[in-house]
Amino acid sequence: MPLTINPGTLIVASAYPDPPFDLMENGFASGFDIELMRAICAPLGLALRAVPYAGDDFNGIFEGLAQRSCDAVISGTTITPERAAMVLFSQPYLEFNQGIAVNRRLMPNVASTADLRDLTAGIQSGNTSDLVARRLLAEGDIAGIKYYPYHGIAAALDDLEAGRIGLVIKLFPVISWLVKDRPQLTVATQVPTHEQLGIAFARDNQDLCNAVDREIAKLRDTGEFARLRARWFP
Protein backbone atom coordinates (compact mmCIF):
# COMPACT_ATOMS: atom_id res chain seq x y z
CA MET A 1 0.00 0.00 0.00
CA PRO A 2 1.45 3.42 -0.88
CA LEU A 3 2.41 5.62 2.05
CA THR A 4 -0.45 8.04 2.78
CA ILE A 5 -1.23 10.13 5.82
CA ASN A 6 -4.53 8.34 6.41
CA PRO A 7 -4.52 4.69 5.33
CA GLY A 8 -6.90 4.14 2.44
CA THR A 9 -7.15 7.82 1.50
CA LEU A 10 -5.08 10.02 -0.79
CA ILE A 11 -5.33 13.68 0.20
CA VAL A 12 -4.46 16.06 -2.62
CA ALA A 13 -4.15 19.83 -2.28
CA SER A 14 -5.54 21.78 -5.21
CA ALA A 15 -5.63 25.54 -5.83
CA TYR A 16 -9.19 26.09 -7.03
CA PRO A 17 -10.11 27.50 -9.44
CA ASP A 18 -7.49 26.37 -11.92
CA PRO A 19 -9.53 24.97 -14.82
CA PRO A 20 -9.25 22.71 -16.71
CA PHE A 21 -6.96 21.08 -14.15
CA ASP A 22 -9.35 21.47 -11.24
CA LEU A 23 -12.75 23.09 -10.87
CA MET A 24 -16.04 22.66 -9.10
CA GLU A 25 -19.04 21.50 -11.13
CA ASN A 26 -22.31 21.59 -9.21
CA GLY A 27 -20.39 21.26 -5.97
CA PHE A 28 -18.39 18.29 -7.27
CA ALA A 29 -14.61 18.38 -7.72
CA SER A 30 -13.64 17.76 -11.35
CA GLY A 31 -11.04 18.67 -13.98
CA PHE A 32 -8.16 16.87 -15.63
CA ASP A 33 -5.94 16.54 -12.56
CA ILE A 34 -8.84 15.49 -10.34
CA GLU A 35 -10.03 12.84 -12.80
CA LEU A 36 -6.46 11.65 -13.35
CA MET A 37 -5.97 11.20 -9.63
CA ARG A 38 -9.26 9.32 -9.34
CA ALA A 39 -8.09 6.95 -12.08
CA ILE A 40 -4.80 6.49 -10.21
CA CYS A 41 -6.46 5.89 -6.84
CA ALA A 42 -8.82 3.15 -8.00
CA PRO A 43 -6.23 0.39 -8.65
CA LEU A 44 -4.27 1.46 -5.57
CA GLY A 45 -7.30 0.93 -3.36
CA LEU A 46 -7.34 4.57 -2.28
CA ALA A 47 -10.21 7.03 -1.93
CA LEU A 48 -9.43 10.49 -3.28
CA ARG A 49 -9.98 13.52 -1.04
CA ALA A 50 -9.29 16.88 -2.65
CA VAL A 51 -8.72 19.82 -0.31
CA PRO A 52 -8.67 23.44 -1.53
CA TYR A 53 -5.67 25.69 -1.02
CA ALA A 54 -6.64 29.25 -0.15
CA GLY A 55 -3.26 30.95 0.22
CA ASP A 56 -2.32 34.18 -1.54
CA ASP A 57 0.88 32.76 -3.07
CA PHE A 58 0.72 29.47 -4.99
CA ASN A 59 4.12 28.33 -3.74
CA GLY A 60 2.69 28.14 -0.23
CA ILE A 61 0.70 25.08 -1.31
CA PHE A 62 3.81 22.92 -0.97
CA GLU A 63 4.02 23.59 2.78
CA GLY A 64 1.20 21.11 3.26
CA LEU A 65 3.48 18.29 2.15
CA ALA A 66 6.09 19.04 4.82
CA GLN A 67 3.38 19.62 7.44
CA ARG A 68 1.71 16.31 6.50
CA SER A 69 -1.67 17.92 5.84
CA CYS A 70 -1.76 16.47 2.30
CA ASP A 71 -0.18 13.58 0.40
CA ALA A 72 0.20 15.30 -2.96
CA VAL A 73 -0.18 18.64 -4.74
CA ILE A 74 -1.87 18.88 -8.12
CA SER A 75 -3.31 21.96 -9.98
CA GLY A 76 -1.29 21.94 -13.20
CA THR A 77 1.95 22.41 -11.29
CA THR A 78 5.05 23.34 -13.28
CA ILE A 79 8.25 21.59 -12.26
CA THR A 80 10.92 24.21 -11.50
CA PRO A 81 14.38 23.86 -9.92
CA GLU A 82 13.24 25.91 -6.91
CA ARG A 83 10.21 23.72 -6.30
CA ALA A 84 12.16 20.52 -6.95
CA ALA A 85 14.53 21.54 -4.15
CA MET A 86 11.58 21.51 -1.73
CA VAL A 87 9.42 18.61 -2.93
CA LEU A 88 9.54 15.40 -4.93
CA PHE A 89 7.91 15.44 -8.37
CA SER A 90 6.40 12.68 -10.43
CA GLN A 91 7.61 12.18 -13.96
CA PRO A 92 6.31 15.04 -16.16
CA TYR A 93 2.88 14.18 -17.51
CA LEU A 94 1.93 17.26 -19.57
CA GLU A 95 3.70 20.22 -21.21
CA PHE A 96 2.31 23.67 -22.00
CA ASN A 97 3.35 27.24 -22.78
CA GLN A 98 2.24 30.46 -21.13
CA GLY A 99 -0.67 32.32 -22.74
CA ILE A 100 -1.22 36.07 -22.92
CA ALA A 101 -4.79 37.37 -22.70
CA VAL A 102 -5.67 40.90 -23.82
CA ASN A 103 -8.76 43.03 -24.22
CA ARG A 104 -9.71 42.51 -27.87
CA ARG A 105 -11.59 45.83 -27.96
CA LEU A 106 -8.62 47.85 -26.72
CA MET A 107 -5.85 45.76 -28.28
CA PRO A 108 -7.29 44.15 -31.43
CA ASN A 109 -4.00 43.61 -33.26
CA VAL A 110 -1.70 41.87 -30.77
CA ALA A 111 0.32 39.20 -32.57
CA SER A 112 3.47 38.99 -30.44
CA THR A 113 5.00 40.29 -27.22
CA ALA A 114 6.42 43.21 -29.21
CA ASP A 115 2.86 44.58 -29.39
CA LEU A 116 2.58 44.87 -25.59
CA ARG A 117 4.74 47.94 -25.00
CA ASP A 118 3.45 50.46 -22.45
CA LEU A 119 1.09 47.83 -20.98
CA THR A 120 0.94 46.44 -17.44
CA ALA A 121 0.74 42.66 -16.95
CA GLY A 122 -1.47 41.06 -14.31
CA ILE A 123 0.15 38.10 -12.56
CA GLN A 124 -0.96 35.75 -9.78
CA SER A 125 1.53 35.55 -6.92
CA GLY A 126 3.64 32.40 -7.05
CA ASN A 127 2.84 31.55 -10.67
CA THR A 128 5.56 30.71 -13.20
CA SER A 129 3.99 33.40 -15.38
CA ASP A 130 5.92 35.81 -13.15
CA LEU A 131 9.17 34.64 -14.77
CA VAL A 132 7.75 35.48 -18.18
CA ALA A 133 6.50 38.88 -17.01
CA ARG A 134 9.83 39.83 -15.44
CA ARG A 135 11.69 38.87 -18.61
CA LEU A 136 9.29 40.90 -20.76
CA LEU A 137 9.71 43.84 -18.39
CA ALA A 138 13.51 43.59 -18.51
CA GLU A 139 13.42 43.47 -22.31
CA GLY A 140 11.11 46.48 -22.51
CA ASP A 141 8.18 44.57 -23.98
CA ILE A 142 5.84 45.55 -21.13
CA ALA A 143 5.77 48.60 -18.88
CA GLY A 144 4.98 47.03 -15.51
CA ILE A 145 3.62 44.15 -13.45
CA LYS A 146 0.65 44.14 -11.08
CA TYR A 147 0.47 41.22 -8.68
CA TYR A 148 -2.76 39.62 -7.50
CA PRO A 149 -3.24 37.02 -4.76
CA TYR A 150 -3.56 33.57 -6.25
CA HIS A 151 -7.29 33.46 -5.57
CA GLY A 152 -7.63 36.89 -7.22
CA ILE A 153 -7.52 35.76 -10.84
CA ALA A 154 -11.12 36.92 -11.40
CA ALA A 155 -10.14 40.39 -10.20
CA ALA A 156 -7.25 40.42 -12.68
CA LEU A 157 -9.60 39.51 -15.51
CA ASP A 158 -12.08 42.16 -14.37
CA ASP A 159 -9.27 44.72 -14.48
CA LEU A 160 -8.33 43.55 -17.96
CA GLU A 161 -11.91 43.98 -19.15
CA ALA A 162 -12.02 47.47 -17.65
CA GLY A 163 -8.70 48.50 -19.20
CA ARG A 164 -6.99 48.97 -15.84
CA ILE A 165 -4.26 46.54 -16.94
CA GLY A 166 -3.20 45.58 -20.44
CA LEU A 167 -2.68 41.82 -20.28
CA VAL A 168 -2.85 38.74 -18.06
CA ILE A 169 -0.25 35.98 -18.33
CA LYS A 170 -1.09 32.43 -17.21
CA LEU A 171 -0.54 28.85 -18.34
CA PHE A 172 -2.13 28.59 -21.80
CA PRO A 173 -4.91 26.04 -21.16
CA VAL A 174 -5.95 27.81 -17.95
CA ILE A 175 -6.13 31.34 -19.35
CA SER A 176 -7.92 29.97 -22.43
CA TRP A 177 -10.57 28.40 -20.20
CA LEU A 178 -10.92 31.48 -18.00
CA VAL A 179 -11.59 33.89 -20.88
CA LYS A 180 -13.95 31.70 -22.89
CA ASP A 181 -17.03 33.25 -21.24
CA ARG A 182 -15.61 36.78 -21.37
CA PRO A 183 -16.17 37.90 -24.97
CA GLN A 184 -14.12 41.07 -24.55
CA LEU A 185 -11.02 39.01 -23.77
CA THR A 186 -8.95 36.76 -25.98
CA VAL A 187 -5.71 34.78 -25.74
CA ALA A 188 -3.68 36.68 -28.32
CA THR A 189 -0.40 34.76 -28.27
CA GLN A 190 1.67 32.13 -26.47
CA VAL A 191 5.13 32.44 -24.97
CA PRO A 192 7.03 29.19 -25.71
CA THR A 193 8.07 28.23 -22.19
CA HIS A 194 7.53 24.45 -22.70
CA GLU A 195 6.71 23.98 -19.02
CA GLN A 196 6.61 20.40 -17.80
CA LEU A 197 3.92 19.63 -15.25
CA GLY A 198 4.20 17.15 -12.41
CA ILE A 199 2.48 15.95 -9.26
CA ALA A 200 4.31 16.97 -6.08
CA PHE A 201 4.98 14.79 -3.02
CA ALA A 202 6.91 15.11 0.23
CA ARG A 203 10.61 14.51 -0.39
CA ASP A 204 10.59 11.46 1.89
CA ASN A 205 7.66 9.81 0.10
CA GLN A 206 9.38 8.16 -2.85
CA ASP A 207 7.15 5.08 -2.54
CA LEU A 208 3.99 7.08 -3.22
CA CYS A 209 5.64 8.98 -6.06
CA ASN A 210 6.78 5.73 -7.67
CA ALA A 211 3.32 4.18 -7.33
CA VAL A 212 1.69 7.19 -9.02
CA ASP A 213 4.25 7.14 -11.83
CA ARG A 214 3.52 3.45 -12.45
CA GLU A 215 -0.24 4.04 -12.59
CA ILE A 216 0.14 6.97 -15.01
CA ALA A 217 2.26 4.76 -17.26
CA LYS A 218 -0.51 2.13 -17.22
CA LEU A 219 -3.13 4.77 -18.07
CA ARG A 220 -1.03 5.81 -21.04
CA ASP A 221 -0.75 2.19 -22.20
CA THR A 222 -4.52 1.64 -22.01
CA GLY A 223 -5.34 4.91 -23.77
CA GLU A 224 -7.23 6.31 -20.78
CA PHE A 225 -4.71 9.14 -20.34
CA ALA A 226 -5.25 10.21 -23.95
CA ARG A 227 -9.01 10.10 -23.47
CA LEU A 228 -8.80 12.31 -20.40
CA ARG A 229 -6.52 14.74 -22.22
CA ALA A 230 -8.86 14.95 -25.21
CA ARG A 231 -11.80 15.68 -22.91
CA TRP A 232 -10.17 18.47 -20.92
CA PHE A 233 -7.77 19.93 -23.50
CA PRO A 234 -9.76 19.82 -26.74
Side-chain angles (χ1 to χ4, degrees):
M1 173 69 67
L3 181 61
T4 58
I5 298 166
N6 298 323
T9 301
L10 182 71
I11 304 171
V12 296
S14 193
Y16 296 94
D18 200 38
F21 295 100
D22 44 56
L23 67 157
M24 298 299 291
E25 291 185 325
N26 300 317
F28 184 72
S30 190
F32 178 86
D33 276 2
I34 295 291
E35 297 306 323
L36 176 64
M37 296 309 294
R38 283 199 175 102
I40 289 168
C41 283
L44 295 177
L46 297 172
L48 180 68
R49 183 159 73 90
V51 295
Y53 169 71
D56 289 344
D57 186 309
F58 179 77
N59 286 316
I61 197 171
F62 301 111
E63 295 174 4
L65 295 172
Q67 296 168 358
R68 302 288 288 164
S69 61
C70 66
D71 297 299
V73 168
I74 53 175
S75 272
T77 304
T78 298
I79 302 170
T80 69
E82 294 78 15
R83 292 171 178 174
M86 298 186 298
V87 300
L88 184 65
F89 277 103
S90 68
Q91 292 297 311
Y93 64 101
L94 289 171
E95 180 179 301
F96 291 109
N97 296 324
Q98 291 284 326
I100 295 179
V102 300
N103 187 315
R104 69 169 82 234
R105 176 176 58 84
L106 301 176
M107 300 292 296
N109 300 313
V110 173
S112 72
T113 57
D115 299 317
L116 303 173
R117 294 183 187 277
D118 301 323
L119 300 180
T120 295
I123 301 295
Q124 287 173 290
S125 296
N127 259 17
T128 51
S129 50
D130 186 27
L131 301 175
V132 175
R134 283 188 281 164
R135 176 170 61 81
L136 294 177
L137 182 63
E139 294 173 352
D141 282 345
I142 61 174
I145 303 172
K146 181 177 180 180
Y147 290 97
Y148 295 80
Y150 191 83
H151 53 77
I153 185 61
L157 296 173
D158 290 344
D159 284 351
L160 185 58
E161 284 184 328
R164 290 186 287 267
I165 58 176
L167 62 144
V168 170
I169 309 175
K170 193 163 174 61
L171 202 67
F172 176 73
V174 182
I175 193 63
S176 299
W177 187 289
L178 292 172
V179 305
K180 67 180 183 176
D181 295 324
R182 292 177 180 251
Q184 275 190 244
L185 306 184
T186 185
V187 179
T189 188
Q190 294 188 52
V191 180
T193 52
H194 303 291
E195 297 181 37
Q196 295 189 320
L197 310 187
I199 301 162
F201 306 89
R203 290 196 63 82
D204 62 354
N205 206 346
Q206 186 71 57
D207 286 347
L208 180 58
C209 182
N210 290 345
V212 168
D213 277 337
R214 286 193 297 269
E215 294 306 320
I216 291 177
K218 292 176 185 176
L219 292 170
R220 290 187 188 277
D221 289 343
T222 63
E224 181 59 24
F225 188 94
R227 286 189 287 273
L228 280 174
R229 178 165 186 162
R231 176 187 175 192
W232 292 103
F233 305 103

